[in-house]
Amino acid sequence: MASIHKDIPIDAPADHVWDALRDFGALHTRLVPGFVTDTQLDGDVRTVTFSNGTVARETLVDCDDKRRRLVYAVSSERLKQHSASVQVFTDGDARCRVAWIADVLPHEIAPYIDAQMDLGAAAMQGALAKSAREKSAA
């Protein structure tokens, strides 16, 4: 199984980032706008439309407010296995770090998932830093 790890520094307080990350149905508006163009929520399952046209069904496995950790699984015909965790860690008053880990099979899909996670990380950094600045200015 391929494990992909992303360590993402974000210029926003951890509570601000966690609030957006835990909002499972708001990827396209709060967490990664532009990278994700639509999210439809049906209970604990979200259907995610990415900017490249890919659509994924993601199931919420766990949302732990105390640890600021969210776990989800992706079901698809192309994937035998995809589970991921995203966790927020404080890094000072106005910064944090997000650890995003995905475990995927088959191995051949890992380069694609890795590249997509890089795009998602960049979108996350920009959107959350911007919304934190707007919130502090208000």
Side-chain angles (χ1 to χ4, degrees):
M1 183 176 320
S3 284
I4 305 162
H5 297 253
K6 301 295 176 186
D7 189 33
I8 309 160
I10 299 182
D11 291 326
D15 286 340
H16 178 78
V17 171
W18 174 243
D19 187 59
L21 196 142
R22 73 176 313 284
D23 192 352
F24 197 65
L27 284 174
H28 63 299
T29 57
R30 298 187 66 195
L31 192 64
V32 288
F35 175 64
V36 169
T37 59
D38 189 41
T39 307
Q40 297 296 317
L41 193 59
D42 183 13
D44 285 345
V45 177
R46 65 185 176 194
T47 302
V48 179
T49 304
F50 294 90
S51 60
N52 67 2
T54 301
V55 176
R57 281 182 54 86
E58 301 178 343
T59 302
L60 179 64
V61 175
D62 187 40
C63 183
D64 185 333
D65 286 318
K66 184 176 179 181
R67 290 183 175 84
R68 293 188 194 124
R69 182 175 183 263
L70 185 132
V71 179
Y72 64 96
V74 179
S75 356
S76 124
E77 293 175 7
R78 293 177 24 183
L79 297 169
K80 284 185 182 179
Q81 150 70 30
H82 183 295
S83 59
S85 65
V86 189
Q87 189 166 5
V88 181
F89 298 94
T90 301
D91 187 16
D93 291 338
R95 288 183 51 87
C96 69
R97 182 176 58 82
V98 171
W100 187 9
I101 302 168
D103 298 319
V104 300
L105 281 175
H107 294 284
E108 297 76 25
I109 196 85
Y112 171 77
I113 300 290
D114 186 53
Q116 289 298 106
M117 288 173 69
D118 283 341
L119 293 172
M124 191 185 306
Q125 285 173 312
L128 293 170
K130 180 182 178 193
S131 63
R133 283 192 307 271
E134 290 170 351
K135 185 176 179 180
S136 69

